[in-house]
Structures are given as C-alpha cells and as structure tokens.
Amino acid sequence: MEDPDINDRILLSATHLSVGYSNKGSAKVLFNNLNFQIHTGELVCFMGANGIGKSTLIRTLAGLQPPLQGKIELRFPDNSFQPLHHPEPEFIALVLTDKINAHNLTVEELLLSGRYPFINWRMQTGTADQVKINQAVEAVRINHLLPRRLNELSDGQMQLVMIARALVQDTPLLLLDEPTAHLDLNNRVEIMNLLRHLAHRLNKGIVVATHELDLALQTTDRIWLAGDRQGILSGIPEDLVLDGTFDEIFQLKGFDLKTGRVFHKPWRGIAVTVRGDGHPLLWTRNALERSGYRIDNSSIHIISIAQHENGKLTWTLGDQSFSSLHSLLNHMQTGLPMN
Amino acid sequence: MVTTASYRYWFILAGILIVSFLINITFGSVRIPFSQILYILTGGIPENPAWKSIVLDFRLTKALTCILAGSALATGGLLMQTLFRNPLAGPDVLGLTSGASLAVAVLIMLGNSLLPWLTGSFSITIAASLGAGLLFLIIIALSRSVNDHASLLLIGLMIGALTAALVSILQFTSRASDQQYYLVWTFGSLGGLSWAELTILAVFSLSGCLLAFQLIKPLNTWLLGDQYARSLGINIQRSRLIIIISTAMLTGSVTAFCGPIAFVGLAVPHLTRLLINTMNHKPLLPAVSMGGASFMLLCDTLAQLPGSGYIIPINAVTSLAGAPVVIWVIVKSRRLHI
C-alpha cells in the first residue's frame, strides 16, 4: 500500500484514460486504459521509444487535445477535483518541441508571455508579475540572457529560456516534451538537475517526456515506461531496473542496465589480472574489456597500476612499464600469448 | 518593465508624422505660404479668403484621409503577416482588396441600374468590407493546405486574377458611365472626400484599429505557435475571427473610398521595423499605424508632383515606394532561411 499522505499530494489524476487520434470516425489508440496520478514535489520521467505517443499523451494531459476515453481531473487548491476540458493556464505550464519562429522577440518579451493569462488586454504588468519573472530567471539562472533576441541563443539556452517561461506561469504542474533533445551532455545534465531541483524545492509536479534512459535513471523520482500493449508501467527507477522491466521493454542490446555498463565480448580469448584501486583500476578494466580482454584475477598476465606522488600513473606488465593505457594496449596487441 | 521601444522612437515616429502632415498640406497646385497655412489651421482668416476653403475643405480632408487610410492598411497588413506568420502577407497581395473591388464593382455596375438607392458611400463601405472579409475567409481556408510562403502568395495572385476576370465580365455588360466611374475608382484617389464620407471612413477604420489593439496578447502568442497560444488560454478561433473582422473593416473601408491601394499594408510593417525592431505587438501596432499614416501622406505629396499642376495616381506612387521593399524582404529572408 502507498502511504496515506500521498493522496493529499495529488495534482492530476487520470482514470481509464485512452489517448490517441480519432479521424473521421476511425480512432488510432496509442495508450489504453491508463490509471495514474501526478503528485506535488515529484519529478516523473515518461520514457518510451520515439513515435510511441509520448507527445500525444503530454498534449492530452495539457488539455490541448481531448482524450478518446476516460477522464483527467485536476485537484485545485481548495481540494476540489475538476475535470480537464481545455488548457488551464493557471494550473499547467508547458514546454513543447514546437519551434518558436519569433526570432526578433527578446528573451524578456518571451518570458512575459508566461504572465499573459494573468494580465489584461492592455498588457499592464504589476510588481507581482515582475516578481514571478525574476524568480523564474533566478531559478534557471538566465539573467545574462534577458536582453538577447531569440535568434542569438544556442539550443541549450533556448531550452532554459522556455523552461523559465513555463515557470513564469507559476503553475503547480509542469509538462515538458523532450526538453533535452538535441542538447550536449552538459546541458542535458544541467536541465534534468534543474527540473528535479524545481520539483523538490518549489514542490511542483513535473512530467518530462524523454527517451534518454541513462539520464532519467539517475535523476528522476518516478519513471513511467511506455511498454507494449498500449500500457504504461510506473515505478521508481531502481525497482524497474532490478525487476527486469527495463530489459524486457527496451530489449537492450549489449548494455547491462544492472551494472550501468555496456557489455563487451572477450573475443581475444586472453585473460589478464589487474592490480590497483580506485578510478585508475576502473578505467583500466574499462579499456581492457573494451579491447576484448577478459578480466580474471587468476591469470598469469598481471598488470599493476602504480600512482606516483606527482599524480602520474604507470602500468607494469611483466618487466615492462608504460606511461599510458594506449601504449600498454599497443604492446599487448603485438605479443601476448593466449592462455 | 519591458520597454523594447524607448521613448526616443515615439518622438521620432510622431515627428515624422507631423512633418509629413505639414509637408502634405503645404504642397498643392495652388501655392500658399507656409505661415498662412499654419494661420488657417489655427483658425485664422488668411490674406486670400479662397485659401481657407482650399486648405480646410480640400487639403485637410485629403490629409486626414491619408492618415486614416495609411494607418488602416498598414495595421491590416501587420495583422495578416502575424496571422499567416508570413512576412509577405498583406491585404493587396492576398486578394482582400480584390474582394473589396469586386464587391464595389458589383454595386456600381449592377446596383446603379437596378437599385440606385443602394450605391451610397455607406453601403459601398459595407459591401467592400464584406467582400474583403469573404476573401479573407477563403484565403484562410486555403492556407491550411499549403505551408510555404510562396504558395499562399500564388493563391492570392490567382484570386486577384479571378476577381479581375469577373470584373471585366461585369464591365462588358454595364453602362459606359458606370464603367468609367469604376475605372477611375481603381486608380485610387485620396482626395475628394466630403466631411460626411470622411466620418464614415473614420468610424470604420478606427473601429478596425481598436479591435486590432485588443488583440495584442493573442497576436504575441500567435508568434509562439498555436499550441503555446492555447496553453496560455488564448481562444484561437475567436482571435482569428476578430482578426478577420478587423482586417476586413480596415481594408474594406479604405478600398471603398480610396480604391485598391497597393503595397502599403505589405511594406509599412517592414519599414517601421527598421526603426523599432521588435515583434512585440504592444509597441509595434501603434508604431505601424503611425508609420502607415506618414507613408501615405508622403506618397500623396509625391503624387501631386510638387510644383507642377499634374496629379499622378496614388497607386503608382505606393507601388514605386513599396515594391522595392518587398524585393528587399524576399532577398533578406532568402538569406535567413536557406
């Protein structure tokens, strides 16, 4: 049983939800009979292969497209559950994959659009609006970008700005569709850390659709895994790894999720013993396994790692010593007998 | 606070507008000293009493017509460019003026003989607005099946050709006097409006502008795309309908009184952005309507060929000034997007 308090933290509740498209009477169902809740203070990664319908579910949860069946309810601050019929700009903020074509807009003007649901047609903003903008800018740390125009931003900066724009709306629920696509590793880690931080510190419910397994495993509180048969499996990442759900759904080829490492075949048929510790041992094993050697501590080929006072490393094999793994591997290739 | 356009730009725009107005009202076939013009405008009696009626009944109405028509067409152009997210959209290129022209042609050439009481300036304005609005609906319906800028413009071109063909069929069957009236109307003219006609134009174009100013928020979110706009609580259908009504009133009323004037709606938003480079409609809408008024005043001044007694059609002048702008936009956007 889940703990009883969790019901107090529900933001959105979906029951018997079917999602997809209906076109001229014929429906294309992407997900069927989903039942789930989104809670405050929780980062959820919604994972699945490309084309499985992640964006469609996000749009449905945002009220941009009607569900085929079932219902979505929002829990408002007065504890009343109300069905979602159309976008609720005061409750749900979005970051979508849609390209913004307003190259000439400044970041500041774009951020202000997050306040549109709360200001009148003459666009008169008050100090409250400015405070929300400042808070969002602070949270995402994009002060230096404010006066820039959108066409001057890199892809990573643009994503940060779009996340800030959603935060400016100051909604309890945030839905993000592939916010880390096309970004480099640094930016991806930064954005996922930021989202987790926002969920925990600002007590928001955040759902991120992504297909980046490694990143999600290490940052998210909960994973929804879009599997076969139009269903979604939900759980915390570690449970899903250990009970084999990931292996079954992703059918990973050559990647051992339980160790978090890529699986290498020891095709050379040569075993080596490695002696050392810490990071040097880890990366030496990595280099050897990647090159097709088997690590077996009963082997007669012994590689010892020594770390000198100046921080330099040397590897010793037999009576020869090497200053880099590269030279060690080169030597091993030219003449190490099978055993 | 978000201040994209600082006060400096507003002083420049207002200055351009006032100077254009004074230049426009100073030049004409009769030479009147500038000091006398200022004297007349402030309510004095000039040395030559005839000058007063020239300035107040002829030049002032024409200048006011220029201001109303210029800002209406430019505002309509900006609305269409944002709606279609197409820098080359405008009331003339997408056939709205053709729709208004067709409605006017039907009214002049059929109505004059059948229902003479129908051809007052008020009913012509209504007809032209309806014609422009109907064409706008057709263009929007067709725009859903094309997604590049050029195709939409080609459709606009074809609609222009269709209405031109229908008008020539009408001309074939109508009286010579009506034909001539219609032909002169198509040259475009900003002069000759009575104060009563000017009032009708003012009511229509100012209402259209007011509707447009209500749309600042939807227009800005339009730039972010439909999905973001809806997520911010914007009712897309409703905003689109208001844009259609507003643009139809703006284009229709101007076309009814001044004829199909080309290039103002297309060129002025781009010219204004040279001064206030923004896509935020809060400063852009008023700036574009001021820019449109100045542009029209200057074009009309040129149309008088200052110093000569000749007046050339306003359409020739707006095309001379506007067509290079369009070429510039095409060349520039090529460089940006390919």
PDB file of all heavy atoms in Angstrom, chain B residues 147-158:
ATOM      1  N   ASN B 147       1.765  25.054 -46.890  1.00  0.00           N
ATOM      2  CA  ASN B 147       2.537  25.509 -45.738  1.00  0.00           C
ATOM      3  C   ASN B 147       3.785  26.302 -46.095  1.00  0.00           C
ATOM      4  O   ASN B 147       4.606  26.547 -45.243  1.00  0.00           O
ATOM      5  CB  ASN B 147       2.879  24.348 -44.806  1.00  0.00           C
ATOM      6  CG  ASN B 147       3.379  23.159 -45.579  1.00  0.00           C
ATOM      7  OD1 ASN B 147       3.796  23.313 -46.730  1.00  0.00           O
ATOM      8  ND2 ASN B 147       3.357  22.000 -44.992  1.00  0.00           N
ATOM      9  N   ASP B 148       3.928  26.723 -47.327  1.00  0.00           N
ATOM     10  CA  ASP B 148       5.052  27.627 -47.567  1.00  0.00           C
ATOM     11  C   ASP B 148       4.550  28.995 -48.017  1.00  0.00           C
ATOM     12  O   ASP B 148       3.433  29.142 -48.506  1.00  0.00           O
ATOM     13  CB  ASP B 148       6.049  27.038 -48.566  1.00  0.00           C
ATOM     14  CG  ASP B 148       5.456  26.885 -49.943  1.00  0.00           C
ATOM     15  OD1 ASP B 148       4.319  26.382 -50.040  1.00  0.00           O
ATOM     16  OD2 ASP B 148       6.097  27.281 -50.913  1.00  0.00           O
ATOM     17  N   HIS B 149       5.401  29.977 -47.785  1.00  0.00           N
ATOM     18  CA  HIS B 149       5.036  31.367 -48.017  1.00  0.00           C
ATOM     19  C   HIS B 149       4.656  31.626 -49.463  1.00  0.00           C
ATOM     20  O   HIS B 149       3.685  32.315 -49.751  1.00  0.00           O
ATOM     21  CB  HIS B 149       6.206  32.273 -47.629  1.00  0.00           C
ATOM     22  CG  HIS B 149       6.496  32.246 -46.166  1.00  0.00           C
ATOM     23  ND1 HIS B 149       7.578  32.864 -45.603  1.00  0.00           N
ATOM     24  CD2 HIS B 149       5.833  31.679 -45.150  1.00  0.00           C
ATOM     25  CE1 HIS B 149       7.573  32.677 -44.297  1.00  0.00           C
ATOM     26  NE2 HIS B 149       6.525  31.951 -44.002  1.00  0.00           N
ATOM     27  N   ALA B 150       5.425  31.058 -50.379  1.00  0.00           N
ATOM     28  CA  ALA B 150       5.230  31.389 -51.787  1.00  0.00           C
ATOM     29  C   ALA B 150       3.888  30.877 -52.298  1.00  0.00           C
ATOM     30  O   ALA B 150       3.191  31.571 -53.043  1.00  0.00           O
ATOM     31  CB  ALA B 150       6.376  30.822 -52.610  1.00  0.00           C
ATOM     32  N   SER B 151       3.493  29.657 -51.876  1.00  0.00           N
ATOM     33  CA  SER B 151       2.242  29.089 -52.381  1.00  0.00           C
ATOM     34  C   SER B 151       1.061  29.968 -51.999  1.00  0.00           C
ATOM     35  O   SER B 151       0.149  30.193 -52.810  1.00  0.00           O
ATOM     36  CB  SER B 151       2.020  27.688 -51.803  1.00  0.00           C
ATOM     37  OG  SER B 151       3.129  26.894 -52.042  1.00  0.00           O
ATOM     38  N   LEU B 152       1.093  30.471 -50.773  1.00  0.00           N
ATOM     39  CA  LEU B 152      -0.004  31.315 -50.308  1.00  0.00           C
ATOM     40  C   LEU B 152      -0.103  32.574 -51.180  1.00  0.00           C
ATOM     41  O   LEU B 152      -1.199  33.003 -51.554  1.00  0.00           O
ATOM     42  CB  LEU B 152       0.221  31.692 -48.846  1.00  0.00           C
ATOM     43  CG  LEU B 152      -0.961  32.328 -48.129  1.00  0.00           C
ATOM     44  CD1 LEU B 152      -2.105  31.345 -48.036  1.00  0.00           C
ATOM     45  CD2 LEU B 152      -0.563  32.797 -46.754  1.00  0.00           C
ATOM     46  N   LEU B 153       1.058  33.137 -51.521  1.00  0.00           N
ATOM     47  CA  LEU B 153       1.062  34.340 -52.346  1.00  0.00           C
ATOM     48  C   LEU B 153       0.541  34.039 -53.748  1.00  0.00           C
ATOM     49  O   LEU B 153      -0.185  34.836 -54.337  1.00  0.00           O
ATOM     50  CB  LEU B 153       2.473  34.920 -52.434  1.00  0.00           C
ATOM     51  CG  LEU B 153       3.090  35.331 -51.104  1.00  0.00           C
ATOM     52  CD1 LEU B 153       4.456  35.933 -51.311  1.00  0.00           C
ATOM     53  CD2 LEU B 153       2.189  36.315 -50.379  1.00  0.00           C
ATOM     54  N   LEU B 154       0.898  32.852 -54.274  1.00  0.00           N
ATOM     55  CA  LEU B 154       0.404  32.473 -55.604  1.00  0.00           C
ATOM     56  C   LEU B 154      -1.116  32.350 -55.579  1.00  0.00           C
ATOM     57  O   LEU B 154      -1.800  32.772 -56.509  1.00  0.00           O
ATOM     58  CB  LEU B 154       1.034  31.152 -56.045  1.00  0.00           C
ATOM     59  CG  LEU B 154       2.469  31.294 -56.557  1.00  0.00           C
ATOM     60  CD1 LEU B 154       3.074  29.938 -56.858  1.00  0.00           C
ATOM     61  CD2 LEU B 154       2.490  32.183 -57.798  1.00  0.00           C
ATOM     62  N   ILE B 155      -1.636  31.784 -54.479  1.00  0.00           N
ATOM     63  CA  ILE B 155      -3.089  31.677 -54.361  1.00  0.00           C
ATOM     64  C   ILE B 155      -3.708  33.073 -54.360  1.00  0.00           C
ATOM     65  O   ILE B 155      -4.708  33.326 -55.047  1.00  0.00           O
ATOM     66  CB  ILE B 155      -3.466  30.899 -53.081  1.00  0.00           C
ATOM     67  CG1 ILE B 155      -3.117  29.423 -53.260  1.00  0.00           C
ATOM     68  CG2 ILE B 155      -4.940  31.057 -52.769  1.00  0.00           C
ATOM     69  CD1 ILE B 155      -3.367  28.565 -52.039  1.00  0.00           C
ATOM     70  N   GLY B 156      -3.087  33.993 -53.624  1.00  0.00           N
ATOM     71  CA  GLY B 156      -3.572  35.364 -53.602  1.00  0.00           C
ATOM     72  C   GLY B 156      -3.579  35.978 -55.000  1.00  0.00           C
ATOM     73  O   GLY B 156      -4.530  36.652 -55.406  1.00  0.00           O
ATOM     74  N   LEU B 157      -2.506  35.688 -55.740  1.00  0.00           N
ATOM     75  CA  LEU B 157      -2.374  36.197 -57.117  1.00  0.00           C
ATOM     76  C   LEU B 157      -3.508  35.664 -57.997  1.00  0.00           C
ATOM     77  O   LEU B 157      -4.142  36.397 -58.761  1.00  0.00           O
ATOM     78  CB  LEU B 157      -1.028  35.732 -57.665  1.00  0.00           C
ATOM     79  CG  LEU B 157      -0.327  36.606 -58.679  1.00  0.00           C
ATOM     80  CD1 LEU B 157       0.052  37.921 -58.038  1.00  0.00           C
ATOM     81  CD2 LEU B 157       0.915  35.891 -59.214  1.00  0.00           C
ATOM     82  N   MET B 158      -3.787  34.350 -57.849  1.00  0.00           N
ATOM     83  CA  MET B 158      -4.833  33.723 -58.653  1.00  0.00           C
ATOM     84  C   MET B 158      -6.198  34.300 -58.293  1.00  0.00           C
ATOM     85  O   MET B 158      -7.046  34.499 -59.165  1.00  0.00           O
ATOM     86  CB  MET B 158      -4.840  32.202 -58.425  1.00  0.00           C
ATOM     87  CG  MET B 158      -3.635  31.488 -58.988  1.00  0.00           C
ATOM     88  SD  MET B 158      -3.392  31.856 -60.738  1.00  0.00           S
ATOM     89  CE  MET B 158      -1.850  32.728 -60.681  1.00  0.00           C
TER      90      MET B 158
END
